[in-house]
Amino acid sequence: MDKTMVDSARNLMKELLPEIADFMDDIDELEQFFDRYNYEHSTHFDVQCGSARMCLVCDTFVIKWDYDLTNVDDIGGCWDECAAYQTIKDSPFAYLFAEAVMFKIGWNDFEVMPRIQNVGYKPNALATWLTCDEFRFVTDVTSDLHSYNWGIVNNKPCIIDYALTADVRDRAGTDW
């Protein structure tokens, strides 16, 4: 990943953290804050909430942080996703996953990845976009493959949420 992207994400969170630290686990408060922030600073940040992590969507990158530790144990969090990327980054199928890099500010752990376009509803299932070998590899890494967890880059899927790995499933003791 471009070092400037990680530096930009870190600098942005250093600026924002003093203002949002008390409600980083509250999607309603975050949305209200960023509505005001966007208006006052002419920015276009968006906040999204998953079962375990929050995401700050910026123009070129996304910053994630864990907010529900029980769900992180069950379905994975930032550390799980970054660890998974480290194991797949040298594979022939790494292009199917958005690169994930951790950074820390004080006691807070954050993850940054490039912003991937076309995330959300798609008329075709993920499997229709992949070869058999690609699909086998992707499903060996993660099983949480609904349409809001992948987008399209260069006419190929790019997985943006792959924290639910075999290690997480083993840790949670759940049969997914």
Side-chain angles (χ1 to χ4, degrees), residues 102-145:
M102 292 295 300
F103 66 92
K104 192 174 198 70
I105 300 173
W107 295 100
N108 298 286
D109 294 323
F110 297 97
E111 169 188 354
V112 61
M113 67 174 40
R115 180 176 180 184
I116 304 301
Q117 300 297 322
N118 304 305
V119 172
Y121 174 77
K122 294 166 205 65
N124 298 335
L126 177 65
T128 63
W129 292 82
L130 300 172
T131 67
C132 289
D133 289 339
E134 289 171 332
F135 186 73
R136 190 172 305 112
F137 185 84
V138 165
T139 55
D140 282 348
V141 172
T142 186
S143 58
D144 190 14
L145 294 170

Side-chain angles (χ1 to χ4, degrees), residues 52-117:
R53 296 182 287 170
M54 294 282 187
C55 301
L56 178 61
V57 182
C58 305
D59 290 338
T60 59
F61 56 84
V62 174
I63 302 169
K64 300 180 182 184
W65 63 90
D66 300 334
Y67 78 93
D68 185 321
L69 297 182
T70 299
N71 283 343
V72 167
D73 285 344
D74 290 343
I75 61 174
C78 293
W79 281 105
D80 300 296
E81 193 160 78
C82 290
Y85 190 78
Q86 290 303 307
T87 65
I88 62 177
K89 71 179 183 177
D90 295 324
S91 80
F93 300 111
Y95 62 90
L96 295 170
F97 298 84
E99 183 177 1
V101 174
M102 292 295 300
F103 66 92
K104 192 174 198 70
I105 300 173
W107 295 100
N108 298 286
D109 294 323
F110 297 97
E111 169 188 354
V112 61
M113 67 174 40
R115 180 176 180 184
I116 304 301
Q117 300 297 322

